[in-house]
Amino acid sequence: MIPNDKAAIENPNSRPLRVLIISGSQRRQYNCPGVDSKSRTLMLKMAEMLPQEWEIDYEDLGNVFARQRIQPCNACVSTSMALCVWPCNCYTKNNKDEPDLMWDLDLYQRLDLADAWAIIGPVNWYAPSSNLKLMFDRLVCMNGGNPIESTIDHKDPEKAIELEHKEEWKEMSLNHLEGRTAAFFCYGDEGGDEFGEDGRPKLLRHKEYFNPAEEIFTKDTRNTYAPFVWQCRYGGIEVPDELWQYAIVGDGKKYSEMQAEHMVREDAFMNSFSNWVKAFTSFVGQKGKVPPAKYRAAGYTPPNHTIGDLKLGWRYFQMMIGKGPKDSSPQQQHDEGLNDDATWHPKKGEGEKLRQGLKD
């Protein structure tokens, strides 16, 4: 069933069960790889395999030429948990200066509307894809983020630090997507044909200085997705072990010999995927729908930031001349010569300023 966002927002109790499938590969045929990904194929197959009376939503995070990208997390949490707003307000929808795929694809709302998420993606260089990492970084706000940005005048660090120490913060800081289910199916080729019989890369000249048996990911490659799993679990999102799977496809083969059209003929791999989908269907079906949380991304309309942005602009100017807010962390760092970031050239790279002899 095609998802009906409006009906789901207006009638959360009468809506069908909904899942969101995400293809986490960065490859798309509309960019320099020139070929769509295996995870896209698996995403579309899963959509066909799930009960069709469910609302089935899906999204491909692959890079398309000139399309928006998921903007990076600015790590507001490290200044104050109360500075990290739910849903993320570091970026906005349809912003020409910093176009953000999370907002432009309504991913916060769609993650909120779904009862369960199915994340499918590759293992790239012993890690998940950059796009998946960016998405989960930006989802830190679901784990205790500030649901009322007016309490900090949109993005005032000093007000956020103050709020974090107040009793009211305990009532505001919640796991906003708690109760949902997340499932992960990751796959890899164990280095394709790049490894020799000794377990080391064929191109490596100095092979004696490490033991491949000591590599942590050769013991359980599934653990490349562990950061996502534990981020979900700490946020109250269920990730049963049986729904966190890794499968090998293309081991010992050249990369060009293991595209989606080759993958679907790998019976052992496709059986692993099919069993994962069946386990997902059974678990989610028995669990049923998740009731809406107190503070929702679904149907959320961000407030106007004009006044807050003007205040931030004045704050930035003060820091550029080395006169930050009194007793603020930037001012203390400036006074103690720690980060030395008072400058008229904040957009220039440090190496560029160094080579141009620019004085801050």
Side-chain angles (χ1 to χ4, degrees):
M1 184 187 303
I2 297 174
N4 186 331
D5 297 341
K6 184 178 179 181
I9 294 169
E10 293 178 352
N11 304 296
N13 296 322
S14 60
R15 63 173 178 80
L17 191 147
R18 178 191 287 213
V19 300
L20 172 62
I21 314 170
I22 290 180
S23 166
S25 174
Q26 304 194 170
R27 293 201 301 153
R28 286 293 297 274
Q29 65 180 18
Y30 303 107
N31 206 331
C32 54
V35 179
D36 274 324
S37 67
K38 292 184 279 290
S39 68
R40 177 181 174 84
T41 296
L42 296 174
M43 173 189 75
L44 296 174
K45 282 191 171 295
M46 185 176 189
E48 295 175 351
M49 295 167 68
L50 293 174
Q52 296 304 295
E53 66 268 20
W54 293 1
E55 286 191 333
I56 302 169
D57 191 9
Y58 57 73
E59 192 57 71
D60 189 337
L61 299 183
N63 291 335
V64 173
F65 180 74
R67 188 172 78 157
Q68 309 91 322
R69 301 285 186 263
I70 299 177
Q71 294 285 348
C73 173
N74 293 325
C76 298
V77 168
S78 294
T79 295
S80 166
M81 189 69 233
L83 191 63
C84 180
V85 171
W86 164 254
C88 173
N89 71 341
C90 293
Y91 308 98
T92 56
K93 190 169 184 175
N94 300 324
N95 189 303
K96 295 181 180 179
D97 294 325
E98 292 183 301
D100 176 46
L101 202 65
M102 287 288 286
W103 273 107
D104 289 355
L105 292 181
D106 293 322
L107 278 175
Y108 288 108
Q109 171 170 291
R110 293 161 70 186
L111 287 160
D112 185 353
L113 286 172
D115 299 292
W117 314 332
I119 314 295
I120 305 169
V123 174
N124 292 342
W125 299 107
Y126 301 95
S129 69
S130 301
N131 285 347
L132 269 184
K133 180 65 166 65
L134 284 168
M135 186 185 82
F136 274 92
D137 281 354
R138 292 284 302 286
L139 281 175
V140 66
C141 57
M142 75 180 179
N143 295 46
N146 185 346
I148 310 174
E149 68 167 62
S150 61
T151 57
I152 57 169
D153 284 353
H154 174 48
K155 216 67 177 174
D156 186 314
E158 286 69 51
K159 288 193 174 183
I161 292 170
E162 182 181 359
L163 173 61
E164 196 175 32
H165 292 84
K166 292 182 177 179
E167 282 297 313
E168 63 184 287
W169 174 244
K170 296 178 182 179
E171 303 295 325
M172 297 167 58
S173 184
L174 305 171
N175 281 327
H176 300 295
L177 296 178
E178 185 152 5
R180 284 158 185 77
T181 299
F184 295 86
F185 184 85
C186 53
Y187 56 88
D189 52 28
E190 303 294 291
D193 68 341
E194 293 188 5
F195 283 77
E197 294 181 0
D198 60 358
R200 292 176 169 87
K202 295 176 182 177
L203 296 179
L204 186 64
R205 291 176 58 196
H206 305 290
K207 299 186 178 184
E208 68 281 355
Y209 68 79
F210 76 96
N211 181 357
E214 295 177 354
E215 289 189 46
I216 59 172
F217 294 122
T218 58
K219 298 174 182 176
D220 190 354
T221 310
R222 184 183 82 146
N223 281 329
T224 54
Y225 276 56
F228 301 158
V229 171
W230 287 101
Q231 181 180 349
C232 287
R233 287 174 172 176
Y234 286 141
I237 296 164
E238 290 187 80
V239 186
D241 272 347
E242 64 269 23
L243 298 188
W244 173 21
Q245 295 293 327
Y246 170 78
I248 298 174
V249 63
D251 184 18
K253 296 186 177 181
K254 295 185 182 301
Y255 300 134
S256 59
E257 296 174 351
M258 191 44 63
Q259 302 303 312
E261 64 270 25
H262 307 109
M263 174 194 70
V264 296
R265 297 181 179 89
E266 295 285 321
D267 291 341
F269 176 82
M270 294 306 295
N271 285 337
S272 295
F273 176 72
S274 178
N275 289 335
W276 176 76
V277 175
K278 290 175 182 176
F280 175 88
T281 304
S282 176
F283 184 90
V284 173
Q286 291 180 40
K287 182 177 176 181
K289 294 186 292 184
V290 177
K294 181 177 181 181
Y295 301 104
R296 306 209 66 186
Y300 174 78
T301 301
N304 187 284
H305 302 147
T306 303
I307 296 177
D309 286 340
L310 288 173
K311 290 180 178 179
L312 282 178
W314 173 243
R315 183 179 186 274
Y316 296 152
F317 174 78
Q318 288 179 299
M319 292 187 295
M320 288 170 65
I321 62 176
K323 301 292 183 183
K326 184 180 179 181
D327 297 326
S328 67
S329 182
Q331 190 58 41
Q332 291 181 54
Q333 292 184 30
H334 174 79
D335 292 344
E336 296 179 30
L338 299 177
N339 276 320
D340 191 23
D341 202 18
T343 177
W344 289 108
H345 312 282
K347 294 184 180 180
K348 287 184 178 289
E350 299 306 310
E352 183 181 7
K353 290 190 290 184
L354 179 67
R355 285 158 177 76
Q356 293 178 356
L358 294 173
K359 298 295 183 180
D360 292 337

